[in-house]
Each structure stands twice: as C-alpha cells, then as structure tokens.
Amino acid sequence: VDFVLSPAEMAAELANYLDHRTLLEPQEVESGAATRQLWEALREKTKIDFCEYTKENLMRRVRRRMAVRQVHSLSRYSQMLSGDAQEARLLTRDILIGVTRFFRDPEAFRELDRQIITPLLESSQGRTVRIWVPGCATGEEVFSLVMLFQERAIALGQRLDLKVFATDVDREALRAAGQGLYTENISADVSAERLAQHFVPRQGGGY
C-alpha cells in the first residue's frame, strides 16, 4: 500500500502518478556510480545486500518507487533512502516480491521426495531429521515439505521426529508464515485429501 486516501483524494494522486510515469522508463542518469550509491544507501538502512540481484529487475522496482514519490533522479532518491527508513522498507518489500504457493513446481517436489526425502527417512531410523528453508516467504513451501515428510513417514511405517527451520529477510512474510493462515483458493494446489489431513477449516473461510 502506497497511499491510504479518501475517494475524493484518489483522483488527484492517480493524476500525479501519471504525470510522473516517465520515471518508470530507464533514465540516462542510471550510471554505475549512481546505482552503487543507491544500493549502499539501501544496504545501510536495511542490512540487506542486493548486489547479486539482476540490475534491470532492481531498477524496475526503484523506478516505480521514484514515480510514486515523484523523485526525478537516482541521486536524490538515494538521499531520500538515507534519511527515510520507511521508504527503504517499502523499496525492500517491492524488491522482495515473494512468489510462492503450495507445491509450487510439482515436478521439483516429486524429485525432492524421490531423491532426498525417501532416502533420508529410510536411513534415519527414527532419528531427528532437521530441514532448513532459507527463503520461506509466507510459508507455503515450508508446509509443503512438512506434508511430504509426514506422508512419506506414514508410508514407511516410521515415527517422524522432524525439526523445521524457516527463515526470510522479509519480516512481514515471516510473520504470515508463522500464523499459517491461508485462503480458500489453496485448494487449487492442495488436494482434498491433503486439505482434510493437514489443514483446519477456519470459521468464515480459509484454513
């Protein structure tokens, strides 16, 4: 959310955004020095180093924030980041757009089950198994892994002692993962059998 406005105020803000839409296009001023200054300012505020990200993807997010804030140069926007922790957080959230869902890329999960989960449980002999999901987003892939481990342990007739570590640099996404609340549309990715076995329906909708 960039602005919370009354209906009467929305038209003027949309007009301002359209007036600055040229900022959404690559600018000649995007020199190496200017972009380095911007990433250093962002890293100073957020403690996250984005230098390994694709420059064009990063700059697309930056240009969007520049248009919203109506800032016409990277150097001025870098100065804004240096003095405005909230703007740094908003830009970081734009960059860290999390695309996730339950059992995303089903083929990858099938191979994970075949090559890793099944052999690991077969050799664990009931010992504690620890897994780490370093970029957990809002938790869908974490819980997908837990379901696979539980189902495979049942199929092998084993007692499962599973410890799961899930981390993410996006604190809001991490908070959502910790709550584990999901909308009804997860049924597009989670079978009815799994919904019945692993999820609790919420009063008012969702799981």
Side-chain angles (χ1 to χ4, degrees):
V1 177
D2 296 316
F3 300 100
V4 178
L5 304 168
S6 70
E9 295 169 313
M10 288 179 185
E13 194 56 54
L14 288 169
N16 284 336
Y17 186 77
L18 290 172
D19 286 343
H20 293 82
R21 64 187 180 276
T22 55
L23 293 174
L24 296 170
E25 300 300 323
Q27 305 292 313
E28 291 296 327
V29 295
E30 291 177 6
S31 66
T35 54
R36 278 195 301 274
Q37 179 188 5
L38 187 144
W39 302 135
E40 287 170 7
L42 187 60
R43 182 172 56 190
E44 179 65 27
K45 280 294 179 186
T46 66
K47 311 304 179 189
I48 301 173
D49 187 353
F50 291 103
C51 67
E52 297 297 328
Y53 275 59
T54 304
K55 179 185 174 183
E56 184 49 43
N57 287 338
L58 287 170
M59 292 310 303
R60 200 161 35 240
R61 308 291 195 275
V62 169
R63 290 192 291 269
R64 196 193 79 80
R65 289 302 310 166
M66 288 173 64
V68 169
R69 297 300 302 269
Q70 302 172 23
V71 179
H72 290 266
S73 74
L74 277 181
S75 59
R76 289 191 64 184
Y77 186 68
S78 297
Q79 292 170 5
M80 177 183 287
L81 286 179
S82 297
D84 188 341
Q86 175 65 6
E87 180 61 28
R89 283 194 294 271
L90 289 170
L91 175 59
T92 298
R93 287 192 62 195
D94 268 13
I95 294 171
L96 295 175
I97 290 174
V99 179
T100 185
R101 63 180 190 271
F102 287 97
F103 299 100
R104 182 187 179 198
D105 193 349
E107 181 60 30
F109 274 97
R110 282 193 291 271
E111 286 302 302
L112 191 63
D113 186 16
R114 185 179 68 84
Q115 296 188 39
I116 304 295
I117 295 174
T118 297
L120 184 61
L121 290 181
E122 287 175 340
S123 63
S124 70
Q125 299 298 314
R127 294 189 300 272
T128 300
V129 174
R130 294 177 175 85
I131 62 173
W132 175 34
V133 182
C136 72
T138 47
E140 287 89 338
E141 293 182 11
V142 182
F143 293 124
S144 297
L145 282 172
V146 173
M147 284 185 262
L148 284 179
F149 270 95
Q150 289 180 339
E151 291 165 2
R152 187 55 54 214
I154 290 171
L156 294 171
Q158 290 188 1
R159 173 183 169 275
L160 179 64
D161 184 7
L162 181 67
K163 304 292 186 186
V164 183
F165 302 88
T167 57
D168 202 283
V169 295
D170 186 337
R171 290 179 182 272
E172 292 195 25
L174 196 59
R175 192 176 300 115
Q179 291 173 338
L181 303 177
Y182 298 100
T183 58
E184 291 178 345
N185 64 10
I186 65 171
S187 59
D189 301 308
V190 182
S191 67
E193 182 181 1
R194 280 176 168 153
L195 285 174
Q197 183 177 354
H198 300 287
F199 292 81
V200 178
R202 296 179 67 206
Q203 187 174 3
Y207 297 93

